[in-house]
Amino acid sequence: MKDQIVQALSHSTGLTQAQLSEILIEPKELRYGDFSFPCYVLAKQWGIAPPECAKKLEQMLKPPPQVERTEAAGPYLNFFLKRAPQVERVIKEILTRREAIGSEQNSEHTIIIEYSSPNIAKPFHVGHLRTTVIGHALDRIYRHLGYRVISINHLGDWGTQFGFVWVGCELWGRPQNATVFDLVAYYTKAANLRKAQEKGEVPPEDAKYPDVNQMAREYFRKLEAGEKTAVDFWQWCLNISLDYLRNLYKRLGIHFDFYTGESFYRDQLKKTEQELRESGILEESRGAWGVNLGDKLGYVRLFTEDGRSLYITRDITAADYRYRTFNPLKILYVVGAPQKLHFQQLIGILKKMKHPAAERIVHVAYGNVPHVSTRTSSGAAERIWLHTLLEEAHERALHAYRHQVEKRPENLDEQAVAEAVGLGAIFFNYLSRSNVKEFNFTWEEALNFQGDTGPYVQYALARINSIQAKAANEGLPQPSAEINAELLTDDNAYSIVSLLSRFHATIRRAAEEYEPYHIALYVLELARTFSAAYKSLRVVGQEPELAKARLALFTAVKYVLQRGLNLIGVPPVERM
């Protein structure tokens, strides 16, 4: 419908359809119509004030047949659609497509999304959570739009930390049935001993141990050389960490197509070095080799004095591999905003190499969550393990549900509800604002069933399920798109229909801007609009045709809420 209004406006104003698509808005309030055109852009072109532009445009415009009337209101020209045909179109499309609503076919294009990327041999801390939930939401959004999505967890699985874990096992014995927490304990113990040795403050009972730093460096040298015992130990650490991470991701409802960390690209670094040298862009500086990107981006080291590659070198290798293997339309890196310079330099180097991957890389930056509170810890997210947050989410969600929801169904698995609500509270709280905006996470905000929260939207969805169950018990037929649309043209019903009509555009906007918060705010607004209207739109006890129409409307809301929550990773709750 928007496209047809844009065409009519283009014909009357001479503005391009692309310009008009950006300018034409959908008002929040029905009294301003279904669409509204701000005439400020015409004021300069026509040489008259915006309110006069609106009046003049109303006189000369020939609106599409679906528009019932236009109305000049100050500097705006408002468009009011014929409600019944709009209701019929929206309800029929949603009830026909169900949870496929808003989907597209783009399978000829591939989108790579790198996100989460925790370090191996360390527990997953809450500092990695924002990249995880943003990346997961983008993964689901692009899949729903029909793209072939490749999700990659670029693990920090290569580095000297393995040397200190190895030292711990050598000095104090390798633990049986080890967990990732055992690896951390050994790493910490060995690292502390190294610090004590460097300061000359070694306790008498530890004086017998050799130089820890030298042992760790020697292990890592053997690992880089590919010696079997070193590689086997590294693989042992990797397997323990992957088991731990996969269990966490399973609880979060997250799946990755590939777990390919830094180690995956080791064998390809020689090729990268050769291509860089052949390109003629490498310059020597104090024995190291790198690329000069000018005053703004500076000189970027790629190889150290002793020939070792650096992190950005491995990122160049990864970008080349991903381009050659998958030929993606885009490669999204969901990485914190402080890494902006790193990605500018990565793209700058690839451009100097004339590598086509340079034009396909997008840094999806996000801000920090400076403060997270749990019962056992409070402060920076990097100090709190994710499993601790999830356990507390479950406990707090169960308490909030039992104390904030008075009418709870019988024979309900409240533990399952608590798990879904706890996860929903975290995901929604993290995704209900722009990626780059920093915020502090508080349980009081995240778990408020009456606030702008995931649990509030989950509760609205459960309420619709309850309405459907009651309707079925009263013998009402299954929801159908074959309804009398005139019965849903009152403001209460039509405000819901108006919102439902915007779902697809909201998904597209979230994808185009890499901002899942558009979907979070959309489902919140839909839940609020439904909750404000449902008491005046009763189903049970109404005249059959009216009950049938309203049940179809609520069922359409249910499908859109389910899909919207699914796109941002929030689990649905059938009953609450």
Side-chain angles (χ1 to χ4, degrees), residues 177-222:
N177 302 316
T179 69
V180 71
F181 301 100
D182 293 319
L183 304 185
V184 173
Y186 272 44
Y187 170 87
T188 303
K189 192 173 181 179
N192 287 340
L193 179 55
R194 181 200 67 176
K195 290 177 184 177
Q197 289 175 340
E198 290 175 346
K199 293 179 179 179
E201 300 174 353
V202 179
E205 63 271 20
D206 292 337
K208 60 185 176 182
Y209 295 125
D211 186 319
V212 166
N213 198 44
Q214 183 59 38
M215 287 179 69
R217 289 172 65 88
E218 178 61 17
Y219 166 79
F220 194 61
R221 184 196 65 76
K222 292 179 179 178

Short mmCIF file of all heavy atoms in Angstrom, two decimals, residues 177-222:
data_model
loop_
_atom_site.label_atom_id
_atom_site.label_comp_id
_atom_site.label_asym_id
_atom_site.label_seq_id
_atom_site.Cartn_x
_atom_site.Cartn_y
_atom_site.Cartn_z
N ASN A 177 38.47 -36.22 34.65
CA ASN A 177 37.14 -35.65 34.34
C ASN A 177 37.14 -34.13 34.50
O ASN A 177 36.27 -33.54 35.14
CB ASN A 177 36.07 -36.27 35.24
CG ASN A 177 36.01 -37.78 35.10
OD1 ASN A 177 36.04 -38.31 33.99
ND2 ASN A 177 35.94 -38.46 36.23
N ALA A 178 38.15 -33.51 33.91
CA ALA A 178 38.36 -32.08 34.10
C ALA A 178 37.23 -31.26 33.48
O ALA A 178 36.62 -31.65 32.47
CB ALA A 178 39.70 -31.67 33.48
N THR A 179 36.96 -30.12 34.08
CA THR A 179 36.00 -29.15 33.56
C THR A 179 36.76 -27.88 33.18
O THR A 179 37.94 -27.73 33.49
CB THR A 179 34.93 -28.79 34.60
OG1 THR A 179 35.55 -28.05 35.66
CG2 THR A 179 34.27 -30.04 35.16
N VAL A 180 36.05 -26.96 32.54
CA VAL A 180 36.68 -25.70 32.17
C VAL A 180 37.13 -24.94 33.40
O VAL A 180 38.13 -24.19 33.37
CB VAL A 180 35.72 -24.86 31.30
CG1 VAL A 180 34.56 -24.32 32.12
CG2 VAL A 180 36.45 -23.72 30.60
N PHE A 181 36.46 -25.15 34.53
CA PHE A 181 36.84 -24.47 35.76
C PHE A 181 38.15 -25.01 36.32
O PHE A 181 38.91 -24.28 36.95
CB PHE A 181 35.71 -24.58 36.78
CG PHE A 181 34.43 -23.99 36.28
CD1 PHE A 181 33.42 -24.79 35.77
CD2 PHE A 181 34.25 -22.61 36.26
CE1 PHE A 181 32.26 -24.24 35.27
CE2 PHE A 181 33.08 -22.05 35.77
CZ PHE A 181 32.08 -22.86 35.26
N ASP A 182 38.43 -26.30 36.06
CA ASP A 182 39.74 -26.86 36.42
C ASP A 182 40.84 -26.20 35.59
O ASP A 182 41.91 -25.88 36.11
CB ASP A 182 39.77 -28.37 36.20
CG ASP A 182 38.83 -29.12 37.13
OD1 ASP A 182 38.77 -28.75 38.32
OD2 ASP A 182 38.15 -30.05 36.66
N LEU A 183 40.57 -26.00 34.30
CA LEU A 183 41.56 -25.35 33.43
C LEU A 183 41.85 -23.94 33.91
O LEU A 183 43.00 -23.51 33.94
CB LEU A 183 41.06 -25.31 31.98
CG LEU A 183 40.67 -26.64 31.33
CD1 LEU A 183 40.31 -26.43 29.85
CD2 LEU A 183 41.79 -27.67 31.46
N VAL A 184 40.80 -23.22 34.30
CA VAL A 184 40.98 -21.85 34.80
C VAL A 184 41.77 -21.86 36.10
O VAL A 184 42.66 -21.02 36.31
CB VAL A 184 39.61 -21.17 35.02
CG1 VAL A 184 39.77 -19.82 35.71
CG2 VAL A 184 38.90 -20.98 33.70
N ALA A 185 41.46 -22.81 36.97
CA ALA A 185 42.16 -22.88 38.25
C ALA A 185 43.66 -23.13 38.04
O ALA A 185 44.51 -22.50 38.69
CB ALA A 185 41.55 -23.99 39.12
N TYR A 186 43.99 -24.03 37.10
CA TYR A 186 45.40 -24.32 36.84
C TYR A 186 46.09 -23.13 36.18
O TYR A 186 47.24 -22.80 36.49
CB TYR A 186 45.51 -25.56 35.95
CG TYR A 186 45.57 -26.85 36.75
CD1 TYR A 186 44.71 -27.06 37.84
CD2 TYR A 186 46.47 -27.85 36.45
CE1 TYR A 186 44.74 -28.22 38.57
CE2 TYR A 186 46.52 -29.04 37.18
CZ TYR A 186 45.65 -29.21 38.24
OH TYR A 186 45.70 -30.36 38.99
N TYR A 187 45.38 -22.48 35.26
CA TYR A 187 45.93 -21.29 34.61
C TYR A 187 46.24 -20.22 35.66
O TYR A 187 47.31 -19.63 35.68
CB TYR A 187 44.95 -20.74 33.58
CG TYR A 187 45.34 -19.38 33.05
CD1 TYR A 187 46.20 -19.27 31.96
CD2 TYR A 187 44.86 -18.21 33.63
CE1 TYR A 187 46.57 -18.02 31.48
CE2 TYR A 187 45.22 -16.96 33.17
CZ TYR A 187 46.08 -16.87 32.09
OH TYR A 187 46.45 -15.64 31.62
N THR A 188 45.27 -19.98 36.56
CA THR A 188 45.42 -18.94 37.58
C THR A 188 46.57 -19.27 38.53
O THR A 188 47.38 -18.40 38.87
CB THR A 188 44.11 -18.78 38.36
OG1 THR A 188 43.06 -18.48 37.45
CG2 THR A 188 44.22 -17.68 39.40
N LYS A 189 46.64 -20.52 38.94
CA LYS A 189 47.68 -20.94 39.88
C LYS A 189 49.07 -20.79 39.26
O LYS A 189 50.00 -20.28 39.90
CB LYS A 189 47.44 -22.38 40.31
CG LYS A 189 48.28 -22.83 41.51
CD LYS A 189 47.85 -24.22 41.98
CE LYS A 189 48.68 -24.65 43.19
NZ LYS A 189 48.26 -26.00 43.68
N ALA A 190 49.20 -21.21 37.99
CA ALA A 190 50.49 -21.10 37.31
C ALA A 190 50.86 -19.64 37.05
O ALA A 190 52.02 -19.24 37.21
CB ALA A 190 50.46 -21.87 36.00
N ALA A 191 49.87 -18.83 36.64
CA ALA A 191 50.13 -17.41 36.38
C ALA A 191 50.54 -16.69 37.66
O ALA A 191 51.43 -15.82 37.63
CB ALA A 191 48.90 -16.76 35.77
N ASN A 192 49.92 -17.05 38.78
CA ASN A 192 50.29 -16.42 40.06
C ASN A 192 51.70 -16.82 40.48
O ASN A 192 52.45 -15.99 41.03
CB ASN A 192 49.29 -16.83 41.14
CG ASN A 192 47.95 -16.14 40.97
OD1 ASN A 192 47.84 -15.10 40.31
ND2 ASN A 192 46.91 -16.71 41.57
N LEU A 193 52.06 -18.06 40.22
CA LEU A 193 53.42 -18.50 40.53
C LEU A 193 54.43 -17.75 39.67
O LEU A 193 55.51 -17.35 40.14
CB LEU A 193 53.54 -20.01 40.33
CG LEU A 193 54.93 -20.62 40.60
CD1 LEU A 193 55.43 -20.28 42.00
CD2 LEU A 193 54.88 -22.14 40.40
N ARG A 194 54.09 -17.53 38.40
CA ARG A 194 54.98 -16.76 37.53
C ARG A 194 55.20 -15.35 38.09
O ARG A 194 56.34 -14.85 38.13
CB ARG A 194 54.40 -16.66 36.13
CG ARG A 194 55.29 -15.89 35.15
CD ARG A 194 54.53 -15.39 33.95
NE ARG A 194 53.56 -14.37 34.32
CZ ARG A 194 52.80 -13.70 33.45
NH1 ARG A 194 52.87 -13.96 32.17
NH2 ARG A 194 51.95 -12.79 33.88
N LYS A 195 54.13 -14.71 38.52
CA LYS A 195 54.24 -13.35 39.08
C LYS A 195 55.13 -13.36 40.32
O LYS A 195 55.96 -12.46 40.52
CB LYS A 195 52.86 -12.81 39.42
CG LYS A 195 51.99 -12.50 38.22
CD LYS A 195 50.61 -12.03 38.64
CE LYS A 195 49.71 -11.80 37.44
NZ LYS A 195 48.32 -11.39 37.86
N ALA A 196 54.94 -14.37 41.17
CA ALA A 196 55.75 -14.48 42.38
C ALA A 196 57.22 -14.67 42.02
O ALA A 196 58.12 -14.09 42.67
CB ALA A 196 55.24 -15.63 43.25
N GLN A 197 57.50 -15.49 41.02
CA GLN A 197 58.89 -15.71 40.58
C GLN A 197 59.51 -14.43 40.04
O GLN A 197 60.66 -14.12 40.31
CB GLN A 197 58.93 -16.82 39.53
CG GLN A 197 58.64 -18.20 40.08
CD GLN A 197 58.57 -19.27 38.99
OE1 GLN A 197 58.37 -18.96 37.82
NE2 GLN A 197 58.72 -20.53 39.40
N GLU A 198 58.72 -13.68 39.27
CA GLU A 198 59.24 -12.43 38.69
C GLU A 198 59.55 -11.39 39.76
O GLU A 198 60.47 -10.60 39.63
CB GLU A 198 58.24 -11.87 37.68
CG GLU A 198 58.14 -12.70 36.40
CD GLU A 198 57.05 -12.19 35.46
OE1 GLU A 198 56.21 -11.38 35.91
OE2 GLU A 198 57.03 -12.62 34.29
N LYS A 199 58.75 -11.40 40.85
CA LYS A 199 58.95 -10.43 41.93
C LYS A 199 59.95 -10.92 42.99
O LYS A 199 60.31 -10.17 43.89
CB LYS A 199 57.62 -10.14 42.62
CG LYS A 199 56.62 -9.40 41.74
CD LYS A 199 55.30 -9.17 42.49
CE LYS A 199 54.30 -8.42 41.65
NZ LYS A 199 53.00 -8.23 42.39
N GLY A 200 60.34 -12.21 42.87
CA GLY A 200 61.23 -12.78 43.87
C GLY A 200 60.55 -13.00 45.20
O GLY A 200 61.18 -12.92 46.26
N GLU A 201 59.27 -13.29 45.16
CA GLU A 201 58.48 -13.48 46.38
C GLU A 201 57.85 -14.87 46.41
O GLU A 201 56.70 -15.06 46.80
CB GLU A 201 57.38 -12.42 46.45
CG GLU A 201 57.92 -10.98 46.48
CD GLU A 201 56.81 -9.94 46.42
OE1 GLU A 201 55.63 -10.33 46.22
OE2 GLU A 201 57.12 -8.74 46.56
N VAL A 202 58.58 -15.89 46.00
CA VAL A 202 58.06 -17.25 45.94
C VAL A 202 57.99 -17.84 47.34
O VAL A 202 58.98 -17.82 48.08
CB VAL A 202 58.95 -18.13 45.04
CG1 VAL A 202 58.42 -19.57 45.00
CG2 VAL A 202 59.04 -17.55 43.64
N PRO A 203 56.84 -18.39 47.75
CA PRO A 203 56.74 -19.06 49.05
C PRO A 203 57.71 -20.23 49.13
O PRO A 203 58.01 -20.87 48.10
CB PRO A 203 55.29 -19.54 49.09
CG PRO A 203 54.57 -18.70 48.09
CD PRO A 203 55.58 -18.40 47.02
N PRO A 204 58.21 -20.54 50.30
CA PRO A 204 59.20 -21.63 50.43
C PRO A 204 58.73 -22.96 49.83
O PRO A 204 59.51 -23.68 49.21
CB PRO A 204 59.39 -21.75 51.96
CG PRO A 204 59.02 -20.39 52.48
CD PRO A 204 57.96 -19.86 51.58
N GLU A 205 57.43 -23.26 49.99
CA GLU A 205 56.92 -24.56 49.48
C GLU A 205 56.90 -24.63 47.95
O GLU A 205 56.79 -25.71 47.37
CB GLU A 205 55.52 -24.85 50.03
CG GLU A 205 54.44 -23.86 49.62
CD GLU A 205 54.31 -22.68 50.57
OE1 GLU A 205 55.28 -22.42 51.33
OE2 GLU A 205 53.24 -22.04 50.54
N ASP A 206 57.00 -23.44 47.28
CA ASP A 206 56.99 -23.41 45.81
C ASP A 206 58.37 -23.16 45.22
O ASP A 206 58.50 -23.05 43.99
CB ASP A 206 56.03 -22.32 45.32
CG ASP A 206 54.57 -22.65 45.61
OD1 ASP A 206 54.28 -23.85 45.78
OD2 ASP A 206 53.74 -21.72 45.67
N ALA A 207 59.37 -23.08 46.06
CA ALA A 207 60.73 -22.75 45.57
C ALA A 207 61.29 -23.85 44.69
O ALA A 207 62.20 -23.60 43.88
CB ALA A 207 61.65 -22.50 46.77
N LYS A 208 60.76 -25.06 44.79
CA LYS A 208 61.28 -26.20 44.02
C LYS A 208 60.88 -26.16 42.55
O LYS A 208 61.43 -26.89 41.73
CB LYS A 208 60.76 -27.50 44.63
CG LYS A 208 59.23 -27.59 44.65
CD LYS A 208 58.75 -28.84 45.38
CE LYS A 208 57.21 -28.84 45.45
NZ LYS A 208 56.70 -30.00 46.20
N TYR A 209 59.90 -25.30 42.21
CA TYR A 209 59.38 -25.32 40.85
C TYR A 209 60.26 -24.52 39.89
O TYR A 209 60.83 -23.48 40.27
CB TYR A 209 57.96 -24.76 40.81
CG TYR A 209 56.97 -25.60 41.58
CD1 TYR A 209 56.18 -25.04 42.58
CD2 TYR A 209 56.82 -26.96 41.31
CE1 TYR A 209 55.26 -25.80 43.28
CE2 TYR A 209 55.91 -27.73 42.00
CZ TYR A 209 55.13 -27.14 42.99
OH TYR A 209 54.23 -27.91 43.69
N PRO A 210 60.40 -25.01 38.64
CA PRO A 210 61.20 -24.29 37.64
C PRO A 210 60.52 -23.00 37.18
O PRO A 210 59.40 -22.68 37.60
CB PRO A 210 61.30 -25.29 36.49
CG PRO A 210 60.10 -26.16 36.64
CD PRO A 210 59.84 -26.26 38.11
N ASP A 211 61.19 -22.26 36.29
CA ASP A 211 60.68 -20.99 35.77
C ASP A 211 59.39 -21.23 34.97
O ASP A 211 59.42 -21.85 33.90
CB ASP A 211 61.75 -20.36 34.87
CG ASP A 211 61.36 -18.96 34.40
OD1 ASP A 211 60.19 -18.76 34.05
OD2 ASP A 211 62.24 -18.09 34.37
N VAL A 212 58.26 -20.75 35.52
CA VAL A 212 56.96 -21.00 34.92
C VAL A 212 56.84 -20.34 33.56
O VAL A 212 56.32 -20.93 32.59
CB VAL A 212 55.83 -20.51 35.86
CG1 VAL A 212 54.49 -20.45 35.13
CG2 VAL A 212 55.72 -21.44 37.06
N ASN A 213 57.31 -19.11 33.45
CA ASN A 213 57.19 -18.38 32.19
C ASN A 213 57.97 -19.09 31.08
O ASN A 213 57.49 -19.21 29.95
CB ASN A 213 57.68 -16.94 32.35
CG ASN A 213 57.18 -16.04 31.24
OD1 ASN A 213 56.01 -16.11 30.86
ND2 ASN A 213 58.06 -15.22 30.70
N GLN A 214 59.14 -19.58 31.42
CA GLN A 214 59.95 -20.29 30.43
C GLN A 214 59.27 -21.60 30.02
O GLN A 214 59.26 -21.96 28.83
CB GLN A 214 61.34 -20.59 31.01
CG GLN A 214 62.30 -21.27 30.04
CD GLN A 214 62.53 -20.45 28.79
OE1 GLN A 214 62.62 -19.22 28.85
NE2 GLN A 214 62.62 -21.11 27.63
N MET A 215 58.66 -22.31 30.97
CA MET A 215 57.94 -23.54 30.66
C MET A 215 56.77 -23.26 29.71
O MET A 215 56.55 -24.00 28.74
CB MET A 215 57.42 -24.19 31.93
CG MET A 215 58.47 -24.84 32.82
SD MET A 215 57.71 -25.56 34.31
CE MET A 215 56.80 -26.93 33.61
N ALA A 216 56.02 -22.18 29.99
CA ALA A 216 54.85 -21.85 29.16
C ALA A 216 55.29 -21.47 27.75
O ALA A 216 54.66 -21.88 26.77
CB ALA A 216 54.07 -20.72 29.80
N ARG A 217 56.35 -20.67 27.64
CA ARG A 217 56.85 -20.26 26.33
C ARG A 217 57.35 -21.46 25.54
O ARG A 217 57.12 -21.56 24.32
CB ARG A 217 57.95 -19.22 26.48
CG ARG A 217 57.46 -17.86 26.96
CD ARG A 217 58.63 -16.93 27.27
NE ARG A 217 59.38 -16.63 26.08
CZ ARG A 217 59.11 -15.62 25.25
NH1 ARG A 217 58.08 -14.82 25.51
NH2 ARG A 217 59.85 -15.40 24.18
N GLU A 218 58.00 -22.37 26.22
CA GLU A 218 58.52 -23.55 25.55
C GLU A 218 57.37 -24.44 25.05
O GLU A 218 57.42 -24.98 23.93
CB GLU A 218 59.41 -24.35 26.50
CG GLU A 218 59.99 -25.64 25.93
CD GLU A 218 60.88 -25.44 24.71
OE1 GLU A 218 61.33 -24.30 24.46
OE2 GLU A 218 61.11 -26.42 23.97
N TYR A 219 56.32 -24.55 25.87
CA TYR A 219 55.16 -25.33 25.43
C TYR A 219 54.55 -24.70 24.18
O TYR A 219 54.25 -25.42 23.21
CB TYR A 219 54.09 -25.41 26.52
CG TYR A 219 52.78 -25.91 25.97
CD1 TYR A 219 52.56 -27.28 25.74
CD2 TYR A 219 51.78 -25.02 25.57
CE1 TYR A 219 51.39 -27.74 25.17
CE2 TYR A 219 50.60 -25.47 24.99
CZ TYR A 219 50.41 -26.83 24.79
OH TYR A 219 49.26 -27.27 24.21
N PHE A 220 54.37 -23.38 24.19
CA PHE A 220 53.72 -22.73 23.06
C PHE A 220 54.58 -22.84 21.80
O PHE A 220 54.05 -22.96 20.69
CB PHE A 220 53.40 -21.26 23.37
CG PHE A 220 52.44 -20.64 22.40
CD1 PHE A 220 51.15 -21.14 22.25
CD2 PHE A 220 52.81 -19.58 21.61
CE1 PHE A 220 50.25 -20.60 21.34
CE2 PHE A 220 51.93 -19.01 20.69
CZ PHE A 220 50.65 -19.53 20.56
N ARG A 221 55.91 -22.83 22.00
CA ARG A 221 56.79 -23.02 20.83
C ARG A 221 56.55 -24.39 20.22
O ARG A 221 56.45 -24.54 19.00
CB ARG A 221 58.26 -22.89 21.26
CG ARG A 221 59.27 -22.98 20.10
CD ARG A 221 60.66 -23.24 20.59
NE ARG A 221 60.80 -24.54 21.24
CZ ARG A 221 60.87 -25.69 20.58
NH1 ARG A 221 60.78 -25.72 19.25
NH2 ARG A 221 61.01 -26.83 21.22
N LYS A 222 56.41 -25.40 21.06
CA LYS A 222 56.16 -26.76 20.58
C LYS A 222 54.78 -26.85 19.91
O LYS A 222 54.62 -27.54 18.91
CB LYS A 222 56.24 -27.76 21.73
CG LYS A 222 57.65 -27.94 22.30
CD LYS A 222 57.63 -28.92 23.46
CE LYS A 222 59.04 -29.11 24.03
NZ LYS A 222 59.05 -30.05 25.19
#
